[in-house]
């Protein structure tokens, strides 16, 4: 049998409910905040990602699925969506009509990472990106939108980490300070960090290696190096978040793994056991539109790891919700006909009703009702037909009641709306 590729996964019908719920809650919140959906290709020219994410990042160095197509052009399965959204903003001259744009997109991304729970080679992201707004108020507003979504989904075991990465004016000084700090202790760093020290020294700050973690303890702090504009912007974001009671923690070691960030950066992390810690991440990328050939327009956005969010929600759902409203266990031809009429009528009125179509015993029909996780089961045989009433059993409480056949549909509908 041909198996799926390692790190890729099927999302099965029994799991799709949470995906659909998250998607619809996200869409409704994002649209309330003025965002419109955009759908983009999953393949782009490799150059787009190299230029935007950065040549010396893990994603570009080790994780991209890059192929030469039949004409030899290098193309890449997108490892993230921001670069594509920017490409589309520029290519479709969205800025010409109205530079301020709020866009969201949901879809698969591809990174050839080492697969494990919460880390896949094809994973899904929910992205939101804002173009053309410089004000720090928008930084606070997208964090409000993100935390509102998590609250609505009852994902509460999270902490928002916040930092500023400065701008091309002030970051070089910090970079130099970092290199000067690490040079004398280079041998204490891991192999990757030694290699990165001249290309991407900021990444040393969030390396997970215990020896690097120790080495960075007294490293210079970026917020001490911010220029006046970056500092004013950052503290304005902090003040707005505080005034709106949006919880966050300052985390001066948060550097993110993509090169395009400027100023505000953030990550939503969870401490739930067994979960990958970062559930969402984002920040400003005020230079990227210009760098990719567009106008000088600021931008900010985030991406939620959809798979990770779904896993957290699924783990939190201790008790499975009933998946159908009612199962009608019918015995005998007449009862079956009646059950068929009822389930159709109930289905048409928005009630999830099921029956068995193959004349099984009562025992195996009850087993099927259990598998379908029915909220109610109605049992109907010859006796019930003759008496004009059916037994309706609440599968959670195990309470039973007799319902008149003529009143059956109405009773089920009343229970659904109760
Ligand atoms: P990122 O931090 O690389 O940022 O990814 C965002 C989120 O995607 C992560 O926090 C994580 O939840 C999820 N994620 C990343 N890799 C995997 C994986 N292999 N398996 C499962 N989930 C994963 C970005 O991609 C930026 N484009 C975010 C952004 C948007 N910044 C500004 N706008």
């Amino acid at each position: 049998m041909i198996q799926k590729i390692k790190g890729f996964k099927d999302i099965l019908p029994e799991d799709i409910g949470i995906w659909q719920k998250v998607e619809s809650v996200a869409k409704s919140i994002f649209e309330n905040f003025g965002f419109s959906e955009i759908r983009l290709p999953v393949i782009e020219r490799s150059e787009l990602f190299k230029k935007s994410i950065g040549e010396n990042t893990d994603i570009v160095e080790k994780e991209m699925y890059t192929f030469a197509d039949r004409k030899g052009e290098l193309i890449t399965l997108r490892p993230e969506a921001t670069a594509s959204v920017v490409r589309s903003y520029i290519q479709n001259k969205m800025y010409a009509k109205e530079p301020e744009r709020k866009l969201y997109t949901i879809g698969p991304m591809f990174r050839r990472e080492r697969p494990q729970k919460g880390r896949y080679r094809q994973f899904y992201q929910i992205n939101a990106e804002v173009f053309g707004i410089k004000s720090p108020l928008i930084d606070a507003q997208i964090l409000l939108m993100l935390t509102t979504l998590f609250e609505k989904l009852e994902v509460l075991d999270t902490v928002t980490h916040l930092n500023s990465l400065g701008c091309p004016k002030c970051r070089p000084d910090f970079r130099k300070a970092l290199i000067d700090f690490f040079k004398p202790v280079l041998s204490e760093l891991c192999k990757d960090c030694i290699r990165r020290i001249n290309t991407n020294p900021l990444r040393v700050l969030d390396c997970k290696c215990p020896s690097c973690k120790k080495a960075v303890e007294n490293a210079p702090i970026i917020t001490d190096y911010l220029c006046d504009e970056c500092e004013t912007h950052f503290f304005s974001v902090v003040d707005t978040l505080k005034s709106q009671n949006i919880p966050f923690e300052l985390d001066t070691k948060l550097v993110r793994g993509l090169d395009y960030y400027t100023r505000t950066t953030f990550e939503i992390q969870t401490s739930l056991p067994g979960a990958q810690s970062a559930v969402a991440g984002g920040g400003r990328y005020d230079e990227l539109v210009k760098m990719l050939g567009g106008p000088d327009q600021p931008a900010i956005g985030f991406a939620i790891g959809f798979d990770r969010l779904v896993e957290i929600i699924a783990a939190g759902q201790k008790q499975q919700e009933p998946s159908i409203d009612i199962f009608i266990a019918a015995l005998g031809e007449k009862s079956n006909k009646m059950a068929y009429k009822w389930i159709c009528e109930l289905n048409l009125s928005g009630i999830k009703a099921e029956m068995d179509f193959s004349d099984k015993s009562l025992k195996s029909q009850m087993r099927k009702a259990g598998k379908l996780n029915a909220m109610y089961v109605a049992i109907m045989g010859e006796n019930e037909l003759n008496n004009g009433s059916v037994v309706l059993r609440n599968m959670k409480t195990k309470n039973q009641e007799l319902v008149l056949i003529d009143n059956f549909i109405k009773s089920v509908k009343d229970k659904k709306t109760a």
Side-chain angles (χ1 to χ4, degrees), residues 59 63 79-83 109-114 116 118-129 256-258 260-261 266-268 276-285 300-309:
I59 299 178
E63 296 168 1
E80 60 114 44
T82 310
M109 311 294 150
F110 305 84
R111 296 184 194 175
R112 203 177 187 289
E113 292 191 79
R114 197 164 47 79
Q116 62 184 80
R119 196 201 284 153
Y120 308 99
R121 290 180 172 177
Q122 176 176 334
F123 60 99
Y124 293 78
Q125 279 186 347
I126 303 174
N127 275 260
E129 315 288 354
R256 312 271 302 127
L258 306 97
Y260 48 62
Y261 290 111
F266 53 86
E267 215 164 80
I268 309 249
Q276 289 283 326
S277 66
V279 198
R284 275 204 170 264
Y285 46 96
I300 181 166
F302 63 77
I304 301 168
F306 203 160
D307 309 65
R308 293 184 188 175
L309 185 56

